Amino acid sequence: MQLIACPWCGPREEVEFSYGGQAHVPYPDSPAELSDEQWAHYVFFRDNPKGRFAERWNHSAGCRRWFNAIRDTTTYRFERVYRLDDPKPLATELASSRRSTAP
Amino acid sequence: MSPGSSHATRTPRTPGADLPEHPDTLWRSPEPKRSYDVVIVGGGGHGLATAHYLAKNHGITNVAVLEKGWLAGGNMARNTTIIRSNYLWDESSTIYEHALKLWEGLEEDLGYPILFSQRGVLNLAHTLQDVRDSVRRVEANKLNGVDAEWLEPDEVRKICPVVNTSADIRYPVLGATYQPRAGIAKHDYVAWGFARRADEAGIDLIQDCEVTGFATDGNRVTGVQTTRGTIGAGTVALCAAGHTSVLTDMLGIRVPIQSHPLQALVSELLEPVHPTVVMSNAVHVYVSQAHKGELVMGAGVDSYNGYGQRGAFHIIERQMAAAVELFPVFARAHLLRTWGGIVDVSPDASPIVGRTPYENLYLNCGWGTGGFKATPGIGSALAHTIAHDEPHPFVAPFALDRFVTGALVDEHGAAAVAH
Amino acid sequence: MTSPFRTPDGGRIDRATTVEITFDGQTLPGHPGDTLASALLANGRHQVATSIKLGRPRGIAAAWAEDPGSLVQIEAPFPEPMLLATTVELYDGLVAHGLPGQGRLAEVPDSARYDAVHHHVDVLVVGAGPAGLAAALTAARAGARVALVDEQSEAGGSLLSGTDRLDDAPASQWVAAAVAELAAHPEVLHLQRTTAFGSYDDGFVLALERRTDHLGTGAPRHVSRQRVWRIRARSIVVATGAHERPVVFADNDRPGIMLAGAARTFLHRYGVLPGREAVVFTTNDSAYDAALDLHHAGVQVQAVVDARPEGSPRRDECEHAGIRVLSGAVVTGTQGVERVTHALVAPFADGEVGASSAIGCDLLLVSGGWNPAVHLFSQARGRLRYDETLGAFLPGEELDGLAVTGSAAGGFDLAGCLADGQRVVRAALTALAIPPAGEDPLPAAPEAVIPAAPLVLWRVPDTSGAEGSTSFVDLQRDATVADIARAVGAGLRSLEHVKRFTTIGTAHDQGKTSGVLTSGITAELLGIPVQDTGTTTFRPPYTPVAFAALAGRDRGRLFDPERVTALHQWHVAAGAVFEDVGQWKRPRYYPQPGEDMEAAVLRECAAARTGVGIIDGSTLGKIDVQGPDAAVLLDRLYTNLMSSLKVGSVRYGVMCGVDGMVIDDGTVFRLAEDRFLVLTTTGGAAKILDWMEEWLQTEWPDLRVHCTSVTEQWATFPVVGPRSRDVVGAVFPDVDVSAEAFPFMTWRDATLDGVPVRLARISFSGELAFEVYVNPWYAVAVWQRLLEAGRPYGITPYGTETMHVLRAEKGYPIIGQDTDGTVSPHDLGMAWAVSKKKPDFVGKRSFARPANADPLRKQLVGLLPVDRETVLPEGSQIVEFRADGQLPPPPVPMLGHVTSSYRSAELARPFALALVRGGRERIGDTVHVPVNGTLVPVEVTGSVLIDPEGARRDG
């Protein structure tokens, strides 16, 4: 059970938080202009890395604020938390062993 | 029996002590060949079952099953072994009922004592909406030829006397759905039965063989790079459950699954008290008493993504509260061991099976908490799909493109059950 | 009664008090301070039970939780399955018996209390042995907030079991002083009888305190029996000691065969001689203490059998005492049935066993070395490394915030353990920026004799002819060396597979003694290093924990909070039958004497349709949405336009998820240009507030909007029916309630005796209706005023069931009943509520997906059973009309299902709502609904069955 450092409240028990999945997936500017496939990717598809993951959390039983975190999905350890208006982490920070041989 | 008197009549006995012996020969540990007609990535239940049915039903034996750890050591070794087919939607009940029919003949097919026990499953309803959803599912099951009944609380009590059906609990039991043909099996025995049959057919089961990449040529996968070298492949099938995304990321394929920890636990061996399988969503727990007498239980997934095969203890505590609420006699049973698996959860709580952007690569994932019960069903359907290079009708509705068209098979709200 | 194996003095038992217990029907004496095991041994009883598979006699083989032998069932004071006799503290009236296999659960509910406490500390020390006490003292002296937990009944750990001296006095004196000193520090929590059973992330440790178990029937009822401590520690010191490891040999399971260290514990701590004639079989020096101590206590030690060819430097001590020492020898087997009678001893060199000879004994002590108790370290995901010298797995890395010390870290001399305990906690304090105390002395321990290197010996080759089939590795599972050999022979290479093949490590003790043995024996059989075999995973809990302890107080009414409205007591007094709606208790109907639900609901419905009814709608979710951009937010979340709503007016709206499926509905009040009151379904209240917050915070932080739940700030009473205007007008004479002055879908503020009240013309029934909103503090008074004013019109309180009938007659869906997360607004026939003007809103894009355009989507329609009699069960499936009235064999294609179904007073017939494939095209068709094996013909209709033109809403 994690001790999660809410950026506003400080470290609190995991039970006070709820999970919000992948961070930095903005609502599309013009959904009407997206193809069905592009829209489906916004609605249903999220990354699922084994390793560092930039994700959203909500201190739902505390200050009720949303924030972002970089957490390792293997160890569950929070590497850092940051506010929603903080810059998106660089790819190097999320670097993991993921490789692609996509054509 | 009054306290203290029991010893007088108690004769030494060894109830539930013995599980059937495993055979003296299980499988070889071969070196991988340079290439195979079919490479199955993932040596869990689905991968091993697919291998078995490729050999048995289609005569395809130039097959390798690649397992990064030990065979059937992932979710196959970690699940609560519930087998049922009483799903709501036609698409779901079809594949799960197909599986259940295979379960009914599996011991003979595998020549392995898999301890398939059709002791029935009760899905409890605790609210009026639970009741509506339950009746809906029972009626759908009947029309689909799946055995199902709606039971009133007094009938629930007859089938499972230890369930608290009194009105004085927080969410009283208002009834239950009952599938008599549902039950449990011994998971290791199932996996090992499939593995042994596959091995006998000449299929190579290659352990400690982690896939590190894929060799591709245009829209074909030509080989699999592993910690034991590169292995050429005619057709590749991914059966990696919670680790599917790790593989599809290597291939640049996006798959809408999220991997979550799912915990389970077991008690010490107890005299028989619980003759069936009970599942409750509102008072969230599911429990059966396994062959040796231990209570095997599970509940919901941990909320966050996790590959750690462990979860948070407050989930277990909540599950224990639910267990004691529904089964007051469990109060002094003891938690002996907890563990976790990695479930691959899809947006509509239904599996994702079928074609991918690579013409010779098949996907099988997203089974979430339903993977074990589907094992023979998906194994045979996926083997058929590979052999005919065409999705079997039972898996066709579960294609990846349903998330684009919107034709989901949404088992969330409607089914009122999980797992 | 006397206990023949009790020493004349010594031990930590209360000899002045005698208690009586019953074991296997036999009454036996013991003393407070005994365990059930020590009491049995004091009375000469070694066998506790028979084994699970083979029925072999099994006895007490260790002195605490690692014992694989002494499984018992407690029968009184309350049945508890499967405990170890070695961990059950003795109390008067204890009734127990040995357990061959399965435990038995009580048939009556457990009335004991259980609870949980959260605790936060700088340093948690697990284990109050020498290393743990030293660590706790150093941390306490530095002023740190400390918790010290230990599973035994008293502190001291290994010091309770031996003859160690500290500061030139018995070590127990130092232990007592240390405990007293800790007690004097206000920031120290010291808990005995408390087992740390799980180690999780970020310094989170769970511990179970057994608070009253040792008091038996004398346990005070107001004290919780067991308590779970949820300890969050900035730093953890694991000082959990080590478990002695047996050596496996043929027939190594007979009662009377015991770990050597356990015999010392029984002697020194409990004043019990575990036998009269002992053979000691060892691979290391530690067992020499047992041999000498037993000898001095009067046990005839027949021989020390040391597997090492060189023996031990302590050989002289033994021989001086007259104890024969056989170096380069092993025990190859035993004789005896219910108790060991002989040890078979043979020379042993280079792995070869010579001819054996029998040595008579009633006690065979065994030591194969020590396994550090690394469970908590391993649970915290610490990597283990195999130590070739010790033949054991040790912590193989440093973990942040968790240090292992003492024998848990592989240190086995007293002075070293004390110093190491102090060292690791000082390092932890430094990391926490807590300066150590100036005065922090350690007690002086005598210089340790440097032990000779142990021999790593997992098993003695089986010369009995049984081929390892009586060489037990896991006594609880009756699993043997032969079983491991068969597993390996079957092709298994992974220790996890071997475990599953043999079931080793799956029983009550979770492999505390068998785990490392299995690693070693498997490695030997495979011819690979033990490090490569590794261990199976250590999983919580360290020792078994009762379900009820983990459930704690979250049972019965406290399982989930009950939410009730301000009128709850009134409802109870009015005889309401309640329904659980989420966490709320809502009146479902108010039966009058002799009425069943159907009769009550027909009466309530008739009142609302023809006179006036009133319902407590306070559970409806209410969200106050304020700010200059409030209208923008609502436009983005509702499918219809909210920004055009005028102040003073109310509009119905639907919300969808991004997938375009309906998630909630309700009315919206515009209170001011920059302020709305959003009403949600009862079950959706929290979810919709979360939904709004999520969009606001994560997507649209530029919007100046604040959302606040006001569900519990407004009690809500819809007053419904043609006479509702009379009632509301009478209670609020200052308000013009005419249709012209107070039109439909508007709201007004009013006062009642100075109390602010809000009135709204909203109807969920199609009838003329007023909703009355008031601070819950005044809810009862306002409710009663309305009832009083309504008395001349027969005002009738009604519950959720009638509400559902009234709304269904009008075709108003209940989200979550008539929808299931797969239903779009268009499916509900609510295209009118989907704005075509707005460029976007949440869910809009999904409406354009191919599946949404499928003409065979399920759509909400009405159903009328043709027989005008059958109330279709909700959930019934719908199939095509069959001319022969017969259901064909499965699979039968389904058209949809009945979502709501009622008997209608107004229609004088039953009706239903249903989701039907292409339903709107089927209006006028007849379809079949299977009900209890017969096909009921029903007519498909529009979903609005009463007053489709909406004539009644203005009265």
Side-chain angles (χ1 to χ4, degrees):
Chain A
M1 187 146 86
Q2 315 284 309
L3 194 62
I4 301 175
C6 170
W8 286 274
C9 306
R12 293 290 187 275
E13 297 289 337
E14 180 185 323
V15 290
E16 295 181 19
F17 295 82
S18 50
Y19 184 61
Q22 185 177 5
H24 309 294
V25 183
Y27 187 75
D29 285 337
S30 304
E33 290 166 22
L34 300 183
S35 68
D36 285 342
E37 185 162 358
Q38 287 169 324
W39 176 247
H41 276 260
Y42 168 70
V43 176
F44 294 120
F45 289 62
R46 293 293 181 273
D47 290 348
N48 185 31
K50 184 177 185 179
R52 287 185 178 178
F53 193 27
E55 54 191 22
R56 309 184 312 159
W57 286 82
N58 182 9
H59 192 188
S60 48
C63 67
R64 297 188 57 76
R65 295 265 220 147
W66 283 85
F67 59 93
N68 290 336
I70 295 173
R71 191 180 59 96
D72 190 313
T73 62
T74 308
T75 63
Y76 304 170
R77 189 186 171 92
F78 282 77
E79 308 283 348
R80 69 180 174 98
V81 297
Y82 56 103
R83 290 162 47 150
L84 296 175
D85 52 1
D86 287 335
K88 183 177 171 178
L90 299 171
T92 48
E93 189 177 352
L94 298 173
S96 69
S97 58
R98 279 182 288 158
R99 279 171 298 147
S100 174
T101 56
Chain B
M1 198 182 292
S2 66
S5 69
S6 57
H7 62 269
T9 52
R10 191 176 297 274
T11 50
R13 61 195 194 92
T14 57
D18 284 308
L19 293 172
E21 293 280 350
H22 293 285
D24 285 326
T25 305
L26 284 167
W27 50 75
R28 300 162 293 130
S29 291
E31 285 300 313
K33 295 194 286 191
R34 284 175 57 99
S35 74
Y36 294 90
D37 293 342
V38 179
V39 170
I40 297 167
V41 182
H46 288 199
L48 293 168
T50 303
H52 166 65
Y53 291 110
L54 276 173
K56 181 190 174 213
N57 293 350
H58 308 285
I60 298 172
T61 57
N62 186 22
V63 177
V65 179
L66 310 184
E67 169 52 49
K68 75 181 171 69
W70 39 286
L71 281 184
N75 293 346
M76 192 65 181
R78 296 159 196 276
N79 70 85
T80 49
T81 82
I82 297 170
I83 294 163
R84 62 183 180 86
S85 64
N86 56 349
Y87 281 69
L88 174 70
W89 299 108
D90 299 349
E91 297 88 341
S92 310
S93 67
T94 299
I95 183 79
Y96 284 110
E97 178 61 21
H98 170 57
L100 182 49
K101 291 207 169 80
L102 288 171
W103 279 111
E104 287 172 330
L106 198 58
E107 182 149 322
E108 198 177 341
D109 178 13
L110 299 181
Y112 213 102
I114 61 166
L115 298 177
F116 179 43
S117 163
Q118 291 181 285
R119 56 184 65 189
V121 62
L122 291 165
N123 292 99
L124 303 181
H126 300 272
T127 66
L128 296 176
Q129 189 56 39
D130 276 355
V131 174
R132 293 180 194 108
D133 290 337
S134 300
V135 171
R136 177 186 179 190
R137 187 161 45 78
V138 163
E139 294 299 318
N141 288 160
K142 286 181 185 165
L143 292 170
N144 273 323
V146 173
D147 58 321
E149 299 168 42
W150 166 256
L151 302 183
E152 297 295 332
D154 60 325
E155 298 168 298
V156 171
R157 193 162 50 239
K158 271 181 218 150
I159 286 174
C160 190
V162 289
V163 176
N164 187 354
T165 50
S166 71
D168 64 357
I169 68 171
R170 178 67 183 85
Y171 294 108
V173 174
L174 303 182
T177 70
Y178 184 52
Q179 183 179 23
R181 287 164 62 239
I184 57 172
K186 183 78 182 148
H187 48 14
D188 290 334
Y189 287 60
V190 174
W192 295 8
F194 278 119
R196 194 171 66 121
R197 275 284 187 255
D199 178 85
E200 280 170 3
I203 289 172
D204 285 352
L205 311 179
I206 303 168
Q207 304 182 73
D208 295 315
C209 182
E210 182 168 1
V211 172
T212 57
F214 292 89
T216 60
D217 180 7
N219 62 352
R220 287 188 68 80
V221 175
T222 56
V224 181
Q225 293 146 0
T226 78
T227 50
R228 298 183 67 174
T230 297
I231 300 168
T235 299
V236 177
L238 304 184
C239 294
H243 274 83
T244 298
S245 299
V246 176
L247 299 170
T248 52
D249 281 352
M250 295 173 190
L251 288 156
I253 302 170
R254 287 198 92 194
V255 178
I257 58 173
Q258 300 280 290
S259 296
H260 287 273
L262 176 63
Q263 301 184 72
L265 60 91
V266 69
S267 77
E268 74 269 71
L269 309 188
L270 298 165
E271 290 178 12
V273 293
H274 179 40
T276 181
V277 181
V278 171
M279 308 175 68
S280 165
N281 260 25
V283 182
H284 200 156
V285 69
Y286 45 95
V287 56
S288 67
Q289 186 168 18
H291 309 85
K292 297 203 305 282
E294 67 272 38
L295 298 171
V296 180
M297 304 170 62
V301 300
D302 280 59
S303 68
Y304 46 76
N305 290 23
Y307 286 85
Q309 294 186 325
R310 62 192 184 88
F313 199 73
H314 63 88
I315 306 280
I316 301 286
E317 290 178 306
R318 190 65 191 157
Q319 187 175 330
M320 293 290 88
V324 179
E325 177 80 349
L326 281 180
F327 302 91
V329 301
F330 289 178
R332 292 203 185 182
H334 298 97
L335 170 66
L336 211 59
R337 185 178 178 88
T338 62
W339 65 89
I342 312 168
V343 291
D344 40 334
V345 177
S346 74
D348 58 357
S350 284
I352 303 170
V353 186
R355 294 192 187 283
T356 68
Y358 293 91
E359 63 183 25
N360 63 334
L361 177 81
Y362 283 99
L363 189 61
N364 169 43
C365 65
W367 289 91
T369 56
F372 176 74
K373 62 183 68 69
T375 300
I378 184 59
S380 66
L382 188 60
H384 180 279
T385 299
I386 292 167
H388 296 267
D389 198 19
E390 180 66 39
H392 186 282
F394 292 171
V395 301
F398 299 109
L400 184 56
D401 71 358
R402 73 178 185 273
F403 298 101
V404 174
T405 64
L408 306 187
V409 185
D410 197 332
E411 285 285 345
H412 280 128
V417 286
H419 317 298
Chain C
M1 277 189 287
T2 58
S3 300
F5 287 83
R6 189 73 75 179
T7 59
D9 50 32
R12 303 189 62 78
I13 50 172
D14 173 11
R15 289 175 185 263
T17 308
T18 298
V19 299
E20 281 192 357
I21 61 156
T22 306
F23 187 80
D24 277 355
Q26 187 183 1
T27 303
L28 297 170
H31 299 291
D34 263 325
T35 62
L36 176 54
S38 69
L40 291 174
L41 291 175
N43 291 289
R45 183 156 181 160
H46 270 252
Q47 184 183 343
V48 171
T50 51
S51 72
I52 183 162
K53 282 159 81 171
L54 306 171
R56 290 171 68 105
R58 291 286 161 75
I60 296 156
W64 188 249
E66 67 275 24
D67 181 22
S70 66
L71 292 171
V72 297
Q73 165 87 29
I74 306 297
E75 295 291 358
F78 190 89
E80 178 152 6
M82 207 170 284
L83 295 175
L84 287 169
T86 51
T87 62
V88 174
E89 290 186 52
L90 217 63
Y91 48 83
D92 214 22
L94 171 67
V95 179
H97 59 80
L99 210 53
Q102 297 170 328
R104 187 177 64 82
L105 293 170
E107 282 150 28
V108 291
D110 181 4
S111 61
R113 294 167 68 98
Y114 300 85
D115 60 16
V117 172
H118 289 265
H119 195 68
H120 294 256
V121 294
D122 295 316
V123 179
L124 166 66
V125 179
V126 183
L133 280 173
L137 280 173
T138 291
R141 288 166 181 164
R145 196 152 197 251
V146 180
L148 171 65
V149 303
D150 183 272
E151 58 185 340
Q152 303 271 349
S153 59
E154 58 178 324
S158 62
L159 299 176
L160 298 171
S161 302
T163 53
D164 293 297
R165 293 177 70 80
L166 289 170
D167 286 338
D168 217 18
S172 58
Q173 290 183 19
W174 175 75
V175 172
V179 168
E181 184 181 339
L182 289 171
H185 285 281
E187 288 296 313
V188 173
L189 172 75
H190 176 192
L191 300 169
Q192 290 297 141
R193 298 189 174 95
T194 302
T195 305
F197 64 82
S199 168
Y200 288 81
D201 305 283
D202 300 320
F204 189 65
V205 170
L206 287 144
L208 181 77
E209 182 186 9
R210 296 174 301 280
R211 304 180 75 203
T212 67
D213 285 359
H214 60 292
L215 302 176
T217 48
R221 288 189 59 80
H222 65 281
V223 176
S224 60
R225 174 180 174 242
Q226 297 181 343
R227 169 173 287 173
V228 172
W229 288 83
R230 301 172 182 152
I231 303 171
R232 188 66 83 167
R234 298 171 71 199
S235 193
I236 300 167
V237 174
V238 175
T240 44
H243 298 145
E244 197 163 21
R245 181 173 65 238
V247 181
V248 178
F249 46 83
D251 299 312
N252 59 334
D253 63 329
R254 300 194 199 286
I257 301 175
M258 182 182 287
L259 289 166
R264 291 189 87 206
T265 301
F266 287 119
L267 173 63
H268 295 302
R269 185 165 173 192
Y270 302 108
V272 169
L273 293 178
R276 302 278 188 219
E277 296 182 332
V279 169
V280 180
F281 173 33
T282 188
T283 63
N284 64 88
D285 282 6
S286 70
Y288 284 77
D289 289 325
L292 288 161
D293 289 358
L294 290 179
H295 167 79
H296 293 311
V299 175
Q300 176 69 39
V301 179
Q302 305 283 37
V304 173
V305 180
D306 191 325
R308 296 169 294 183
E310 311 302 327
S312 165
R314 305 193 60 184
R315 176 187 186 116
D316 291 351
E317 261 180 280
C318 286
E319 289 184 341
H320 188 73
I323 302 171
R324 183 163 56 132
V325 177
L326 303 171
S327 298
V330 291
V331 171
T332 60
T334 64
Q335 293 171 352
V337 180
E338 291 180 352
R339 179 80 178 264
V340 63
T341 59
H342 294 82
L344 305 179
V345 177
F348 179 68
D350 302 322
E352 296 292 320
V353 177
S356 66
S357 54
I359 301 178
C361 61
D362 63 359
L363 178 67
L364 172 55
L365 301 184
V366 182
S367 178
W370 295 80
N371 294 327
V374 293
H375 302 67
L376 295 178
F377 172 83
S378 181
Q379 287 174 15
R381 302 195 310 286
R383 263 202 317 277
L384 301 174
R385 76 175 167 84
Y386 177 69
D387 185 295
E388 297 272 357
T389 310
L390 294 175
F393 287 88
L394 295 178
E397 62 177 330
E398 301 271 325
L399 293 183
D400 280 350
L402 186 148
V404 185
T405 185
S407 54
F412 293 105
D413 78 284
L414 179 54
C417 286
L418 290 163
D420 195 57
Q422 186 176 68
R423 181 188 66 79
V424 299
V425 85
R426 280 190 176 163
L429 292 169
T430 303
L432 299 176
I434 300 173
E439 279 287 300
D440 187 16
L442 282 177
E447 202 170 319
V449 181
I450 296 172
L455 175 74
V456 177
L457 179 67
W458 310 115
R459 57 177 176 139
V460 173
D462 187 358
T463 54
S464 72
E467 296 180 351
S469 64
T470 65
S471 300
F472 290 90
V473 179
D474 186 335
L475 273 67
Q476 292 189 342
R477 291 300 312 151
D478 268 343
T480 65
V481 171
D483 293 323
I484 298 179
R486 219 165 66 77
V488 170
L492 301 182
R493 298 291 174 268
S494 158
L495 189 65
E496 292 284 357
H497 281 151
V498 171
K499 167 186 165 177
R500 286 154 188 276
F501 187 102
T502 61
T503 73
I504 288 172
T506 63
H508 183 269
D509 69 353
Q510 289 286 295
K512 286 187 181 63
T513 55
S514 60
V516 177
L517 285 175
T518 307
S519 298
I521 294 168
T522 302
E524 258 180 26
L525 292 170
L526 289 171
I528 62 172
V530 179
Q531 175 72 42
D532 291 358
T533 306
T535 65
T536 58
T537 313
F538 290 85
R539 301 276 188 191
Y542 168 65
T543 48
V545 182
F547 286 12
L550 297 172
R553 301 200 62 195
D554 294 349
R555 295 165 62 179
R557 288 193 64 209
L558 298 181
F559 175 74
D560 202 31
E562 277 179 10
R563 298 178 76 185
V564 296
T565 72
L567 290 180
H568 190 71
Q569 289 312 318
W570 189 94
H571 298 317
V572 172
V577 173
F578 289 91
E579 170 190 7
D580 286 310
V581 183
Q583 291 172 324
W584 291 98
K585 292 282 181 193
R586 296 198 70 179
R588 190 178 180 194
Y589 58 98
Y590 299 83
Q592 292 189 346
E595 277 186 339
D596 60 7
M597 184 174 85
E598 187 171 288
V601 169
L602 286 173
R603 171 179 53 74
E604 291 172 10
C605 284
R609 290 268 181 240
T610 61
V612 59
I614 185 168
I615 178 171
D616 181 2
S618 304
T619 63
L620 278 184
K622 299 168 209 86
I623 303 168
D624 192 330
V625 180
Q626 298 190 37
D629 298 316
V632 178
L633 173 71
L634 298 186
D635 273 353
R636 291 183 189 178
L637 294 180
Y638 280 99
T639 60
N640 48 347
L641 204 58
M642 287 298 171
S643 53
S644 61
L645 183 63
K646 290 187 172 48
V647 174
S649 287
V650 179
R651 185 168 289 165
Y652 171 81
V654 175
M655 279 193 213
C656 290
V658 285
D659 63 355
M661 300 304 160
V662 176
I663 58 171
D664 208 67
D665 73 341
T667 50
V668 176
F669 294 44
R670 191 159 203 168
L671 304 179
E673 273 307 309
D674 61 352
R675 188 169 183 189
F676 294 81
L677 179 68
V678 166
L679 276 88
T680 72
T681 58
T682 295
K687 194 176 65 183
I688 295 303
L689 179 63
D690 288 349
W691 180 243
M692 290 179 164
E693 281 290 346
E694 181 179 343
W695 285 100
L696 271 177
Q697 292 185 38
T698 67
E699 287 295 338
W700 306 319
D702 54 308
L703 295 187
R704 293 158 299 167
V705 185
H706 292 277
C707 303
T708 307
S709 167
V710 291
T711 301
E712 296 185 355
Q713 278 63 39
W714 291 107
T716 307
F717 315 135
V719 182
V720 175
R723 308 313 298 264
S724 59
R725 179 173 283 130
D726 301 303
V727 177
V728 173
V731 175
F732 300 96
D734 298 342
V735 178
D736 183 345
V737 293
S738 68
E740 299 72 34
F742 196 165
F744 185 58
M745 295 304 260
T746 63
W747 61 271
R748 299 282 181 275
D749 275 337
T751 58
L752 186 60
D753 294 349
V755 173
V757 175
R758 180 167 293 155
L759 303 175
R761 286 269 329 267
I762 299 170
S763 179
F764 195 41
S765 59
E767 298 299 329
L768 175 69
F770 293 79
E771 291 188 351
V772 179
Y773 290 73
V774 66
N775 182 321
W777 195 251
Y778 306 103
V780 175
V782 173
W783 175 267
Q784 275 169 343
R785 288 282 195 97
L786 291 163
L787 290 182
E788 235 164 83
R791 193 173 302 148
Y793 313 103
I795 192 167
T796 301
Y798 67 87
T800 52
E801 195 66 22
T802 291
M803 175 187 82
H804 284 184
V805 178
L806 297 175
R807 63 87 204 176
E809 288 170 337
K810 285 289 292 179
Y812 297 146
I814 299 265
I815 306 307
Q817 175 172 341
D818 301 296
T819 70
D820 60 7
T822 70
V823 179
S824 73
H826 310 84
D827 300 335
L828 291 175
M830 288 192 177
W832 56 267
V834 178
S835 167
K836 297 190 177 52
K837 290 183 201 154
K838 290 192 285 183
D840 193 33
F841 53 83
V842 171
K844 180 181 169 81
R845 174 62 185 83
S846 289
F847 298 155
R849 295 177 305 179
N852 286 64
D854 183 349
L856 290 181
R857 284 188 71 81
K858 290 178 183 165
Q859 296 163 337
L860 189 72
V861 292
L863 298 181
L864 290 172
V866 172
D867 65 5
R868 303 181 70 92
E869 189 47 47
T870 306
V871 181
L872 302 171
E874 288 171 345
S876 295
Q877 295 287 338
I878 299 158
V879 300
E880 293 282 8
F881 185 79
R882 305 283 306 179
D884 60 359
Q886 296 296 311
L887 198 60
V892 185
M894 286 164 260
L895 300 176
H897 76 285
V898 174
T899 58
S900 300
S901 176
Y902 312 97
R903 191 178 290 284
S904 168
E906 177 83 6
L907 300 170
R909 66 187 290 186
F911 73 105
L913 296 178
L915 286 167
V916 176
R917 290 170 72 83
R920 286 197 287 275
E921 286 295 312
R922 287 179 170 269
I923 289 173
D925 289 1
T926 300
V927 292
H928 265 144
V929 174
V931 177
N932 296 328
T934 54
L935 290 178
V936 176
V938 300
E939 182 192 346
V940 180
T941 71
S943 58
V944 186
L945 292 164
I946 288 185
D947 187 27
E949 48 294 326
R952 296 182 179 187
R953 69 178 197 208
D954 288 326

